[in-house]
Structure formats: structure tokens, C-alpha cells
Amino acid sequence: MSTQASATKDRGMPRVAVIGAGPAGMMAAITAAGRGAGVTVYEKNPFAGKKLRITGKGRCNVTNDCTPREVLDAVRRNPKFLYSAVYRFGPSDVMSFFEEAGVPLKTERGRRVFPVSDKAADIQQALVRKMTLSGVKVRYNTRVDSIYRDDGTWVVCSGSGKSTADAVIIATGGVSYPGTGSTGDGFRMLKRLGIRITELKPSLVPVNTAEDFAGLSGLTLKNVTLSVFHGEKCVFRELGEMLFTHFGVSGPLVLSASANMQDYPVAEYTMKVDLKPGLDREDLDARIIRDLSKYSAKDFVNSLSDLLPQKLIQYIVGVTGIDPRKKSRDISRAERGTLCEALSGFEITPVSFRPVDEAIITRGGAEVDQIDPKNMEVHGFPGLFVCGEMLDTDAYTGGFNLQIAFSTGRSAGEGASDIMRRKEKVKKTKKETKVDFTKIRVAIDGPSGAGKSTIAKQVAQKTGLIYVDTGSLYRAVGLYMARNSIDAYDEEKIVSELKNVDIRLEYSEGKQHVILNGECVDGMIRTEEVSYYASAVSKIPKVREFLMNLQKSLGDAGGVIMDGRDIGTVIIPDAEVKIFLVADAEERARRRYAEQLEKGQDVTFDEVLKSIIARDEQDSSRDVAPLKPAEDAVTLVNNRTIEDAVNFVIDLMKEKAQ
Ligand code: DC
């Protein structure tokens, strides 16, 4: 059965090319492969997740432990577009994904989620491992130059030549951190196809300042509050960590702030840092008085080492304008006030953002009105998907941007793996009438209630075959015996009665009618009693023989789909298509129970289940024509949608009809 199962999987398995092994691309690849696609990832670096490894200062803030709604609230651009993706695969899904992949996680301040190990490499390796386990092939050191569409198939041109795919997922990231490979290759490919890209700007980017902080370069301030103003209006205020650099300021607080400094020229904003946010004005003054008296005999510049990092002292003293050589005991109340001011309102004057290649996140990207928010497919380009940072969406820091990469990667992976089903649909509507099925014989065997008749009827309807329900012949014999009060297990009596039984099948408008001794008995053969009789009489070789010729002659005519128990093994052993349809007993009982309730029959679920199990037992243990798959039958497990199963059978028919 396993080979048949995989044969089922291979059929219609889409080939998906993913360009870029970053978080979005890897998630897309894992998702598509997990849903049966054959996935190849193209990565120009010698390993996957290069930028991922340096995010969160090498600790990787994978997501934010919040609700999907809160993720959307943290999205600055196009939150509505992300609704479906984030609700379908939200923070809790990302966390379970990594925990299940063997990476324990922890939640820190601001609900930022990190690996317990504090190693971004653990996240990267988990994704790579998952790719391997799902059968994803990764071509490292392979840069994709272009993609184009040729007769419904995508062609991927890379350093290693051309290859084809049913779907392409572009996940090459933004243009930030080009050293990690994010050089905008994907944008170029999209532009060439005519897909609109908005202006690419840095977001989450360090800031050049008017002040020369070169002397403070490398100094990190922890637990400070950074406020950003536009005029009087405070546009950002957060407690955290920031960093002085040779050009200005950086660090998590500054990066977050930069996302809020997008509406006006950067130079219109002002920044203030409260170096002692835990102390109010009075407490701060008291603290300064204590330090000044402790170091009363020392120069002012040497009295601040308990309060401030060494590097900062000179700078702050400079800001206050107080003579650094003045003795601490001589510092006046007004001078203390100036110092307090400088400490709680340390001023920074932003001039510009650092260039986009130093930004963590690219603002802008593929305009989202061209993309289907459900599966990230580009409208008008069937089979082309875009995800992750390439989309014109971005969020504040806190794990939200990676969450967006995972959510949109997931959606794209789902969309790409569904591509064949959609292609098939298109093909089917186009080709259905062209294939000649008049010679085809389809046998569908399987236990009672597996869904044979439902599938057979639909196949017949779609392909013009005649559907022959052979079970109804046994049912008609059973009905005759029941009506004549013949013991269901009195074999001799049943056989001797057969001479009085005349059964015919008639077809009109694609429907089969069972005629027993001249009477149409369609409405009488589906009761539990008749089912019981049918099962009993079908064990008798003479009954089977009695019905054999009728069935064989129907089968021989071709253009039929017959369901039963021995169609592929006995009635038409050389049928072009043989299916053995199975479903577990409970599932079958559920279906039958629902049918019977619909017909107003008074049964319980348990009764239906028991009778199904009993009939399975009878049908498969009888000496003559026991229920079993023909050797060359394809086993079809009916746990899929009816439409899928029907299409599966029609595909097999097409192969044989050609
Ligand atoms: O498919 P069904 O439930 O309508 O079939 C009624 C009975 O007839 C069932 O107990 C099995 C038997 N049967 C059979 O033995 N061989 C067939 N080809 C069709 C039905």
C-alpha cells in the first residue's frame, strides 16, 4: 500500500522553486514540501539564513508572544494585507514550530521571544533541519539571475543552468544588510516582469547626528528612555538600550525610533535621552548632592563616576558648561539644576538616516495590491509568489518583522503547493470533452460505505461513462428472499428460488434502475434488512454465478464504471482502471449514518457501525470472491475531498484513454 500511496502523492506533485533561503523562503519551502511538493531552494550564499544569524545581535528575536491582532497593530505599513497570513500562522504557531523543532524558547521584556540558548544559529539550524527532513533540496552558492514563464511553466535561470518549476516563490529579502546577500535581486526579477515596487527606504536604521559622538563611540547605555519629538509632539518614547557610534546613534531604541521617524525629513525630529529614568527630578537632585559631598574635595569632573559611565562624564560636563576643574563642594544649586537637565534631557539632533544597506529592515517593496493576501500569489502571474521582506510591509522591532516573514512564507508555501490542483482544474475544464472514454472500463471495489458509489457517480457524470452499481443486484436478490420470508442463511432454498428471480438493469438519463421481476425496486433495496440479506446471499457461489453474466456483459460493452467487491478481480479482470477504495470503519459509519438520517431511518450510530463491521467481516471472509484488491489495483484512501478523489480517478482514465 505504501508504494501506491506514494504513487498517489507523485501524481500531480508540484515542483516548487524557492529563491532565497532566509526565514520566509525556508518557511515557504518547509510548508510546500510538507504538503507534498517537490521543493528546490536556490541560495546564493554557501549556507542558509545568513542574515537570520545576525539578527537580534546574534540572539534572534523570532517573534513576539502576543496575539495576531497585536502583531497587526505593530505593523506600520499595510497591516490589512497581512491579516489572513498572520491569523493563519501567528506567534503561537511560530513558537510551537520551533519548540517542536527542538529549540526551546524564552520570552523577555516587551514579550520578545528568543531561543533559550540566545543563539540565532539554533533557529537557523532548526529551519535547515526541517528543510532536510521534509525533503527540500537546497542549491547553495547558486544565484538566480532571472525567471520567466514559458507555456504555463516557470523557468528559473541560475548559475547552474535553467530548470523548470510549476511555482516560484521569491523570498530574497529587502535591500538592507547587503553583506548578507540582501542585495535586491528579487526586486530586479519582479521589476522585469512588470511588477510594481515602491521606493525602497531604510527602516529600523541607525541615525547620523549633528553632535560628534566619536569620543563616545562604542558606549552602550542600558535602561535609558529615548523620546523622539516632531515639534512639540512626542512620536516615540521607550525604555531600553542604545549605542553611540562614530556617526551618531544606533542600538535597539534608535532602530525602533527610526520606524517612527518616517513621516517628515529626519532633521525635523529631535531626540532626548533620559539617562536616569528611574529617578524623578527630586530624587536625582538628592542623588547628585550625595555624590558631590562624597567627592567634595575633588574636581567636579571627577565626582560623577558613580552616576555615569566614564566615557560620558566629559561629554555631559561639557554640555552643562560648568568648569570641570571646579571643586565639587563649590557646585551651586543652579549648576545642579543644569546637570539634572542634562541627565534627564540629554539632547541628540538627528540629521539623516544611515544608508539603506545599514538598515535592518527595508521599508517598501512589492506593492501589495498586486498580491493575493491569502497565498501571496502575484495577480496575473499564476504560480508566482512573493513573501517576507520583499512585500511592502514593515513593523516595529520586537520580533514582528520575523513573524511577518514566517506568516507570509507559510502562506506562500501553501499557495505554491496547491498550484497543481488549480492547474488540473483549468486543464479539466478545457480537456474533458476531448478524451474518448467510450472504451474505458473502470472497476471500483472496496468495503461497504467507503464512498464508491458517490465517487463512481461523479466520475460517470463528468466523463459520460455509465455507472453500474453491482451491489444493487445482490440487494435485489436479497429483497426477493426477504419478501418471501426465506431464511437468509438457507443456502439451498435461496439457490432453488433463483429460477423465479429475474433481474435487469435499465439506464435512463445516466441513472440506473433495478427491475426485479418487472418491478422497479430502486426505493426498496437500501434498508438495513435488505443490506443484511444482500450480504448473506452474496456469499453463495450460485448467486454470484447467477449475477455474473449480466455484470460481465455490461462490463464488456466498455464505457462503464462499475463498483462492487469483485469487479477488478472477477467481473472485468482486464479493466483499464482498477481502484480499491478504502476508508476506516468509523468514517464509513459516519457517512452511512448521515445518509440514513437524511432518509428518515430510525438508527443509531452504533448500530450502523456494528453492521458495517459485520458486513466487512462477511464480505472479506467468504470463500467465494472475497473482498480484496486486485493485484494491479490502485489503492485510494478516501480521506480526501470527493472532488480530489474524483479527479484522481479521471486522471487515471485519461492516461489509459490516450
Ligand atoms: O455495495 P453494496 O453495499 O450495495 O452491496 C451490497 C452487498 O452485496 C454487500 O454486502 C456486498 C455484496 N456485493 C458483492 O459481494 N459483490 C459485488 N460486486 C457487489 C456487492
Side-chain angles (χ1 to χ4, degrees):
M1 199 127 97
S2 65
T3 53
Q4 282 147 353
S6 68
T8 309
K9 213 178 160 196
D10 285 347
R11 189 178 311 281
M13 182 172 91
R15 294 156 306 149
V16 176
V18 178
I19 309 179
M26 286 196 272
M27 183 57 82
I30 292 161
T31 306
R35 292 163 59 102
V39 182
T40 305
V41 177
Y42 297 82
E43 169 54 54
K44 68 178 178 187
N45 287 315
F47 59 90
K50 193 166 178 189
K51 182 169 159 193
L52 191 63
R53 291 226 305 210
I54 58 165
T55 60
K57 282 197 187 159
R59 298 204 302 139
C60 192
N61 182 189
V62 265
T63 185
N64 192 284
D65 186 5
C66 65
T67 62
R69 177 73 261 166
E70 288 166 313
V71 173
L72 298 175
D73 288 343
V75 175
R76 270 189 57 88
R77 268 185 84 78
N78 296 315
K80 264 196 205 138
F81 171 78
L82 293 171
Y83 189 96
S84 162
V86 170
Y87 269 89
R88 289 234 316 246
F89 195 67
S92 59
D93 303 306
V94 167
M95 288 189 275
S96 320
F97 176 91
F98 284 108
E99 300 258 359
E100 276 161 27
V103 188
L105 302 173
K106 61 179 172 183
T107 304
E108 297 189 358
R109 189 178 52 77
R111 293 189 284 178
R112 290 165 154 90
V113 179
F114 293 90
V116 170
S117 64
D118 282 329
K119 285 194 191 120
D122 286 356
I123 295 292
Q124 173 236 11
Q125 277 159 17
L127 287 163
V128 172
R129 217 167 33 240
K130 273 265 191 184
M131 286 203 291
T132 311
L133 293 177
S134 357
V136 172
K137 294 189 194 85
V138 189
R139 292 205 191 155
Y140 292 108
N141 297 312
T142 308
R143 181 196 178 121
V144 174
D145 304 310
S146 61
I147 53 165
Y148 62 92
R149 203 140 175 265
D150 184 22
D151 194 22
T153 300
W154 285 96
V155 182
V156 178
C157 311
S158 68
S160 57
K162 286 185 181 181
S163 40
T164 54
D166 301 297
V168 177
I169 300 175
I170 305 196
T172 56
V175 288
S176 29
Y177 279 137
T180 61
S182 289
T183 51
D185 293 356
F187 290 126
R188 278 190 287 279
M189 288 180 225
L190 292 180
K191 271 190 188 157
R192 242 176 266 152
L193 294 169
I195 293 156
R196 278 173 283 120
I197 312 291
T198 61
E199 190 192 345
L200 302 174
K201 286 196 214 161
S203 179
L204 302 186
V205 63
V207 172
N208 290 316
T209 60
E211 295 82 5
D212 177 6
F213 290 130
L216 302 181
S217 183
L219 174 67
T220 298
L221 300 178
K222 290 193 172 154
N223 294 318
V224 296
T225 301
L226 173 67
S227 307
V228 179
F229 299 89
H230 183 258
E232 295 291 295
K233 194 174 162 219
C234 178
V235 296
F236 175 85
R237 176 169 289 151
E238 238 177 61
L239 176 81
E241 197 175 307
M242 60 178 284
L243 171 75
F244 292 100
T245 67
H246 62 279
F247 55 77
V249 284
S250 183
L253 273 181
V254 174
L255 298 178
S256 297
S258 70
N260 295 267
M261 297 163 65
Q262 303 277 345
D263 298 336
Y264 304 96
V266 178
E268 286 188 19
Y269 293 92
T270 53
M271 285 179 158
K272 271 192 179 162
V273 182
D274 186 347
L275 296 167
K276 296 288 161 194
L279 302 176
D280 63 18
R281 185 62 180 245
E282 225 170 278
D283 291 341
L284 182 58
D285 193 39
R287 171 70 204 269
I288 292 170
I289 293 173
R290 212 174 65 213
D291 285 5
L292 290 176
S293 60
K294 183 172 167 192
Y295 300 107
S296 62
K298 295 202 167 188
D299 292 349
F300 173 54
V301 74
N302 293 328
S303 66
L304 298 176
S305 51
D306 291 356
L307 199 61
L308 293 173
Q310 207 55 43
K311 270 190 174 176
L312 199 55
I313 295 174
Q314 285 253 314
Y315 190 89
I316 290 282
V317 171
V319 168
T320 60
I322 303 167
D323 175 5
R325 297 289 151 220
K326 195 166 178 176
K327 292 295 169 212
S328 295
R329 57 175 176 257
D330 298 332
I331 297 294
S332 69
R333 186 193 170 89
E335 284 169 330
R336 278 204 326 269
T338 316
L339 178 60
C340 278
E341 205 66 22
L343 293 175
S344 57
F346 182 100
E347 279 183 22
I348 295 173
T349 317
V351 174
S352 57
F353 286 145
R354 297 294 294 169
V356 72
D357 58 10
E358 287 178 37
I360 292 189
I361 290 291
T362 304
R363 176 118 189 254
E367 281 183 31
V368 297
D369 64 348
Q370 310 164 101
I371 295 160
D372 184 340
K374 286 206 187 64
N375 59 10
M376 306 297 141
E377 191 172 23
V378 183
H379 295 313
F381 293 85
L384 179 67
F385 300 81
V386 180
C387 58
E389 216 190 320
M390 300 202 63
L391 299 164
D392 180 19
T393 64
D394 64 279
Y396 298 123
T397 55
F400 302 111
N401 287 297
L402 269 181
Q403 173 64 48
I404 295 172
F406 292 132
S407 297
T408 55
R410 183 83 177 186
S411 295
E414 286 174 358
S417 57
D418 283 346
I419 196 83
M420 289 321 261
R421 200 178 305 163
R422 286 174 21 217
K423 271 197 180 175
E424 290 296 308
K425 257 193 201 161
V426 176
K427 255 204 264 165
K428 230 150 257 149
T429 41
K430 277 193 199 148
K431 283 196 183 166
E432 211 95 293
T433 48
K434 289 189 196 145
V435 189
D436 178 12
F437 292 128
T438 50
K439 299 274 183 309
I440 291 282
R441 294 161 299 171
V442 182
I444 304 191
D445 291 303
S448 192
K452 300 186 297 292
S453 63
T454 313
I455 291 169
K457 270 183 209 159
Q458 291 202 16
V459 171
Q461 204 198 355
K462 288 192 165 184
T463 57
L465 295 188
I466 290 176
Y467 164 51
V468 180
D469 160 18
T470 64
S472 64
L473 301 174
Y474 293 90
R475 287 175 180 271
V477 173
L479 175 67
Y480 176 90
M481 302 301 158
R483 276 178 169 176
N484 291 284
S485 308
I486 293 163
D487 180 349
Y489 289 92
D490 187 343
E491 204 170 306
E492 224 171 283
K493 179 81 180 132
I494 289 171
V495 172
S496 76
E497 278 293 324
L498 287 177
K499 58 181 180 304
N500 301 321
V501 178
D502 173 55
I503 298 174
R504 279 178 299 116
L505 293 178
E506 280 180 9
Y507 295 91
S508 66
E509 288 171 16
K511 278 214 171 94
Q512 172 187 283
H513 303 288
V514 187
I515 315 297
L516 170 63
N517 292 336
E519 176 195 1
C520 175
V521 291
D522 292 345
M524 289 158 237
I525 56 175
R526 301 276 153 203
T527 63
E528 275 302 298
E529 190 198 12
V530 173
S531 297
Y532 173 77
Y533 262 93
S535 178
V537 300
S538 66
K539 282 189 355 180
I540 304 169
K542 284 264 188 284
V543 172
R544 301 199 77 84
E545 232 170 76
F546 172 72
L547 296 172
M548 176 116 63
N549 284 343
L550 171 61
Q551 294 178 77
K552 272 189 180 289
S553 63
L554 284 164
D556 287 346
V560 286
I561 177 163
M562 294 176 92
D563 78 341
R565 304 297 188 281
D566 59 348
I567 311 302
T569 47
V570 179
I571 305 295
I572 26 177
D574 50 356
E576 282 71 27
V577 176
K578 293 184 192 173
I579 308 279
F580 196 71
L581 186 70
V582 292
D584 76 33
E586 289 214 8
E587 179 58 36
R588 290 184 281 136
R590 264 194 292 280
R591 283 187 209 149
R592 177 98 349 139
Y593 179 59
E595 273 167 27
Q596 298 195 338
L597 284 188
E598 217 167 82
K599 285 184 198 149
Q601 292 178 10
D602 182 21
V603 282
T604 66
F605 175 76
D606 276 354
E607 281 164 5
V608 177
L609 179 62
K610 263 194 203 136
S611 106
I612 281 207
I613 292 171
R615 273 202 284 150
D616 277 358
E617 170 65 22
Q618 283 213 27
D619 292 351
S620 51
S621 64
R622 65 190 178 207
D623 298 333
V624 48
L627 172 66
K628 61 167 196 230
E631 259 175 28
D632 51 350
V634 174
T635 297
L636 178 58
V637 183
N638 195 6
N639 55 4
R640 42 171 85 200
T641 64
I642 304 276
E643 195 193 2
D644 261 5
V646 168
N647 287 339
F648 178 82
V649 176
I650 296 177
D651 281 348
L652 291 176
M653 288 166 57
K654 280 182 184 161
E655 273 170 30
K656 298 291 176 176
Q658 274 154 18

